[in-house]
Structures are given as structure tokens and as C-alpha cells.
Amino acid sequence: MTDKTGTRRHAEIAGAGIGGLTTAAALAQRGWSVTVHERAPNLRTFGAGIYIWSNGLRVLKAIGAYDQAVVGAHIGPQFHTRDHDNTTMEEIPINGQGDARLITILREQLINSLVDTCRRSGVEILTNSEAVGATPEGELLLADGTRRKADLVVGADGINSKLRDSLDLMMYRKHLGYGAIRMLIGRDDADVPAEDRDRYIEYFTGTRRILYTPASATDLYVALCCAADDAAALKVPADRALWTQSFPHLAHLVSRFGDAGRWDAFEVVKLKKWSKGRTAILGDAAHAMPPYLGQGGGCALMNGLGLAAAVADAPDIEQALAAWEERERPITEHTQDTAERLGDMNFWPDELRSEVMKITGKSRELGAERMKTARYQPTATEPLA
């Protein structure tokens, strides 16, 4: 894409995460020159798994990253929610049993597939390059004092985004009083009964949860979730005796927790606007959400591609960004709000939660609300084959 003078349009992007890399690849494939700035010295990502539903898979297809991203992915038959007695409260059929598809992979695999797609598309990726601000006029400000001009600047620099804050775009940032220790360990057949090995399962006890997620044939992603004031439970390395006491039926799994893991608090971020002038904000910087729907990455993928599609041939970048937000923000905020409501049950008494979820799990209407994003067809994508 060229501007009125015939010069190729250029984008500067802060952050080589899911949203930044998706935007970069999609812009480059539409004729833009693109530079991505990553403050870290390399492009490695924290060791964890990630859920990618149908909506995210459609985006990966659209930008040409799908085939690499899904190599060795785990494709489970159901998602189960279990109560304090290990009784199933909800069962969501997927991957052939319903109209939603879900895969789980290592987060590093997803990032690597996006990086390789960017490089094939001609994107320049600079590491050790920290962005500290942006201007509405389309300048990216770097920590070394450099000011880089562009037709479009994108802030995909995470929940503590300096670009967002430099433009005074924050509406609110809410800490939800809850979070998780995330870790990767090897899979072991003795962790759960044979019929559960390939399922995705979330176990509840009191205010604590354990999320069991196969992420490949050999990798298991585990999230230990608890209240932010549950000091004993959020210690890293995880207190195996404490977690065994809460989940005795998972004693073998808990016994294998190593010293790895990282505590992350769950937050919600909402902005006054997703852009100012010719600078746009996306990903956790714009729409962080708790992980209860497994859609944080999915929304970053959708909004990155949607942004590129909106500005690709637009004569006026500012107007295109306004149209992008008007089109994409409703489904993203539906996802945020639904995920936040699902988190309310973390603090319910066990018996109440169990009874309510057994009832709501049978509601077609509530199920449709929860699966709305997974079934959504993002901008500039095609239905999955």
C-alpha cells in the first residue's frame, strides 16, 4: 500500500507478542513496510500452554501461520468443570461433538509460528528495542531517545503499556483479586484416570482451582489458581502439601510439580478509545481479561488482523482506526465481560457453586453466550474447512 505521494506506507509496532506479530504479518501481506520493536533480548516466551478456539484458528489460517502453529497440537474431546467432590458440573463438547473447535499448544510454538510468518512476509523485528511512548501524529518513541515516524503506530506492549499511558487512553484497570501460577510439566498417564487424560479439566475446591491442559503429546500445562490474598497457595515453587490437601484426587499430579512457575494476577483493562490520532492500542494493553474463556490470545489475533484490514487501503488512517474499533470492540468487550462474570464463582461456597453450575451448564442460552466468541467469524477470515 502506498500513500498519496506513491511512498510505501510504514508501520511501527511496539511488542512482539501475539497481537503485535499478527498485526505486523497482516500489514506486511497488504503491502506495508513494518518494523516490530521488542524490548527483550530475544523472542522467547514464558513457558505455558495456550487455548486457541475456532475464531483464533481462522485468523492463523488467514495470515498463513496455521500449519506451523498446529503441529503436534492437542485436540481434546471435551472441556470438563469438576467440583470439590470431583463431580462433573459442566461438560462442553468440542472438536467434532459440537460446532466449536479448540486446540491447545505451547505458547512458544504460537509465537514462533507468528515470528516465522512475519519474517516470510518481510517484517523487520528488532530486539533490545524498548518503546516508551507514542504521539497521535504517528511517532514511536524509544528508550534511547530515537523518534521513529510512521503512517501507523501500534502499541501491543502488554498490560503495563507505556504507549497507552503516554496517550492517556486508560478508562480503568481493575485487579480481580485472583490469579494463577502457570507451569509446564511432562505428561504422565497416572495423573488422572484414563478416560480423563485427553480432556481439558478445571477442578474447584474452595477458592482454589487447578486447570489441567494437555498441550501436546508430551507437555502438560497446569494453572494453579487462587485468591490474591491466599499467600500460602500463590507461593512459587508451589506448596505441594497444600495443593494435595485441597485436591487429594490429584495427588500424583501435584507430586510432580517442580520449582518452575510464575504467579500472574488477573486483571481487566478498558480504554476510553483504542486509538488516538494514528496510534492504535491492542492486546492486553487495550483489552486484558481473565482467562476463563481462553480468549485473551484469540482477541489479540482477531483485533490484529482486523486492524490491518481496516487501514490497509484506507485514505485516512484516523477514520479507519475509528471504524476498526467500532467493528471489533463489541465482541471483545462481550468476551471480557463474560469472562469477568465467570470469575465471580471463585468466591462462592462449594455447595452453592456446584448446584448452580450443574443447572447453568444445561442452559442453551448461557452456553451460547459463553461460546459466542469461539463461534465468531473474525474480520478478513474464512470459515474453517
Side-chain angles (χ1 to χ4, degrees):
M1 174 63 187
T2 58
D3 61 20
K4 294 177 182 178
T5 67
T7 304
R8 190 181 182 198
R9 278 186 168 174
H10 179 67
E12 294 279 336
I13 298 177
I18 297 170
L21 293 171
T22 301
T23 309
L27 283 170
Q29 291 164 3
R30 286 160 173 78
W32 286 55
S33 67
V34 184
T35 299
V36 176
H37 299 264
E38 171 54 47
R39 67 181 179 179
N42 55 58
L43 299 175
R44 292 181 61 84
T45 187
F46 172 70
I50 187 168
Y51 286 70
I52 308 179
W53 289 90
S54 307
N55 55 305
L57 295 174
R58 287 170 167 169
V59 175
L60 293 175
K61 280 264 192 185
I63 64 171
Y66 177 92
D67 289 345
Q68 181 179 349
V70 302
V71 171
H74 181 74
I75 303 174
Q78 304 104 18
F79 192 103
H80 277 218
T81 305
R82 305 276 178 85
D83 68 9
H84 56 292
D85 292 324
N86 196 26
T87 300
T88 297
M89 298 180 287
E90 290 185 310
E91 178 180 332
I92 300 173
I94 48 179
N95 297 321
Q97 300 182 60
D99 60 354
R101 288 178 57 185
L102 169 65
I103 70 164
T104 45
I105 57 174
L106 303 184
R107 184 175 291 266
E108 185 171 5
Q109 181 171 340
L110 175 61
I111 292 294
N112 287 344
S113 70
L114 292 172
V115 168
D116 290 347
T117 300
C118 282
R119 288 179 169 152
R120 287 195 303 270
S121 304
V123 174
E124 178 185 32
I125 302 176
L126 302 179
T127 55
N128 285 312
S129 184
E130 182 181 2
V132 296
T135 70
E137 293 73 33
E139 283 186 308
L140 181 68
L141 314 180
L142 300 181
D144 64 5
T146 302
R147 303 174 73 96
R148 295 179 65 111
K149 295 182 178 180
D151 298 284
L152 172 70
V153 173
V154 178
D157 50 338
I159 197 164
N160 296 311
S161 171
K162 293 182 177 179
L163 269 70
R164 173 198 65 213
D165 293 344
S166 74
L167 295 168
D168 188 29
L169 288 172
M170 183 78 78
M171 179 189 297
Y172 66 80
R173 178 175 178 178
K174 184 193 300 186
H175 294 261
L176 299 178
Y178 207 75
I181 300 169
R182 295 179 167 102
M183 68 179 77
L184 279 176
I185 60 176
R187 294 182 67 178
D188 188 305
D189 284 350
D191 284 338
V192 294
E195 63 270 20
D196 286 341
R197 287 175 193 157
D198 288 334
R199 290 169 171 157
Y200 308 110
I201 309 174
E202 191 164 31
Y203 301 89
F204 283 80
T205 293
T207 58
R208 297 171 183 161
R209 300 185 184 195
I210 291 182
L211 178 65
Y212 169 92
T213 303
S216 74
T218 57
D219 296 289
L220 182 68
Y221 166 45
V222 178
L224 309 179
C225 308
C226 66
D229 61 359
D230 191 348
L234 58 78
K235 286 182 180 178
V236 179
D239 184 332
R240 289 188 282 273
L242 179 147
W243 285 97
T244 300
Q245 183 179 18
S246 291
F247 298 90
H249 49 288
L250 297 176
H252 185 273
L253 171 63
V254 175
S255 73
R256 300 195 305 110
F257 294 168
D259 294 338
R262 186 183 77 186
W263 165 263
D264 291 304
F266 297 166
E267 301 183 54
V268 170
V269 167
K270 290 197 179 182
L271 305 189
K272 304 169 192 173
K273 291 176 59 181
W274 283 5
S275 65
K276 181 176 283 189
R278 289 192 279 120
T279 296
I281 309 295
L282 57 76
D284 282 349
H287 42 77
M289 65 188 72
Y292 306 124
L293 292 176
Q295 285 287 0
C299 285
L301 285 161
M302 292 196 300
N303 291 332
L305 177 57
L307 173 57
V311 302
D313 300 309
D316 187 306
I317 297 296
E318 292 188 39
Q319 290 181 8
L321 292 178
W324 162 68
E325 179 175 352
E326 183 178 7
R327 183 176 64 230
E328 308 297 343
R329 188 161 179 160
I331 187 64
T332 297
E333 292 206 337
H334 164 84
T335 313
Q336 284 182 297
D337 296 344
T338 303
E340 187 175 352
R341 286 195 300 272
L342 286 172
D344 292 343
M345 71 182 71
N346 292 328
F347 303 100
W348 294 356
D350 281 330
E351 296 292 346
L352 173 62
R353 180 172 52 225
S354 183
E355 291 304 312
V356 171
M357 291 190 70
K358 286 175 183 176
I359 295 169
T360 59
K362 298 176 183 177
S363 168
R364 294 175 62 89
E365 292 79 10
L366 291 175
E369 285 295 293
R370 290 179 60 172
M371 298 301 289
K372 181 176 179 179
T373 311
R375 293 169 174 149
Y376 184 75
Q377 184 169 335
T379 301
T381 68
E382 300 292 335
L384 292 171

